[in-house]
Amino acid sequence: MKKMYQSILLAMMIISSYSLLPATAQAATYFKCPPGFNWQLNGNRSAVRCSRSTQAVVQKIRCPNVRIPVLKRSIGTFPTAKSGKDKCKGTFKIAGVSQTTEHEPLRCPSGFQYRRNYSGNSDKCVKPGTTSVVAPTLRINQ
């Protein structure tokens, strides 16, 4: 009987020692944004997204070279700010007399838009920036 009590006591000690060890827990899975994207929460903090924006590309307007057939030479014109749409002006001299010419600027390159008084008082060719939005997809296990 004594051996049986010792066996039962030993079994109870072994079983109770398992309850003293911490239980193993599963790590929660979290997500983060891909490189180059920013983490954004919506207004009521119930949803997230990853966002990346590019800035607008801005170029000065381009002016034409004006060819004077009689003199057989070309005159460079330069942008000048005017109220309304900017113009391209050039000045040349004939026999001591200055002449001024005024022309429309050249068209903006493909993908650019003509913007009047962009960030100041001069007209520019502007290619708008873009915004990319994706879901957080990179897993982080903690």
Side-chain angles (χ1 to χ4, degrees), residues 31-76:
F31 294 92
K32 70 177 184 175
C33 292
F37 285 84
N38 296 321
W39 183 269
Q40 292 181 336
L41 286 169
N42 70 348
N44 60 0
R45 304 177 67 84
S46 63
V48 296
R49 69 182 188 172
C50 299
S51 174
R52 173 176 56 194
S53 297
T54 59
Q55 292 184 338
V57 178
V58 180
Q59 293 180 351
K60 293 180 180 180
I61 58 172
R62 297 178 300 152
C63 291
N65 283 330
V66 179
R67 180 121 177 103
I68 301 173
V70 176
L71 298 176
K72 295 183 181 174
R73 72 179 221 204
S74 78
I75 299 166

Side-chain angles (χ1 to χ4, degrees), residues 27-130:
T29 301
Y30 296 95
F31 294 92
K32 70 177 184 175
C33 292
F37 285 84
N38 296 321
W39 183 269
Q40 292 181 336
L41 286 169
N42 70 348
N44 60 0
R45 304 177 67 84
S46 63
V48 296
R49 69 182 188 172
C50 299
S51 174
R52 173 176 56 194
S53 297
T54 59
Q55 292 184 338
V57 178
V58 180
Q59 293 180 351
K60 293 180 180 180
I61 58 172
R62 297 178 300 152
C63 291
N65 283 330
V66 179
R67 180 121 177 103
I68 301 173
V70 176
L71 298 176
K72 295 183 181 174
R73 72 179 221 204
S74 78
I75 299 166
T77 57
F78 304 96
T80 56
K82 294 192 83 147
S83 61
K85 190 172 182 180
D86 289 357
K87 299 286 184 182
C88 295
K89 280 189 174 182
T91 304
F92 60 97
K93 282 188 176 184
I94 299 176
V97 178
S98 290
Q99 296 290 325
T100 302
T101 181
E102 186 174 278
H103 295 276
E104 292 290 321
L106 297 173
R107 290 173 41 113
C108 290
S110 178
F112 286 78
Q113 300 170 348
Y114 190 89
R115 296 276 177 90
R116 291 185 181 176
N117 301 330
Y118 185 83
S119 296
N121 68 345
S122 62
D123 298 350
K124 304 282 185 191
C125 292
V126 179
K127 186 176 195 176
T130 59

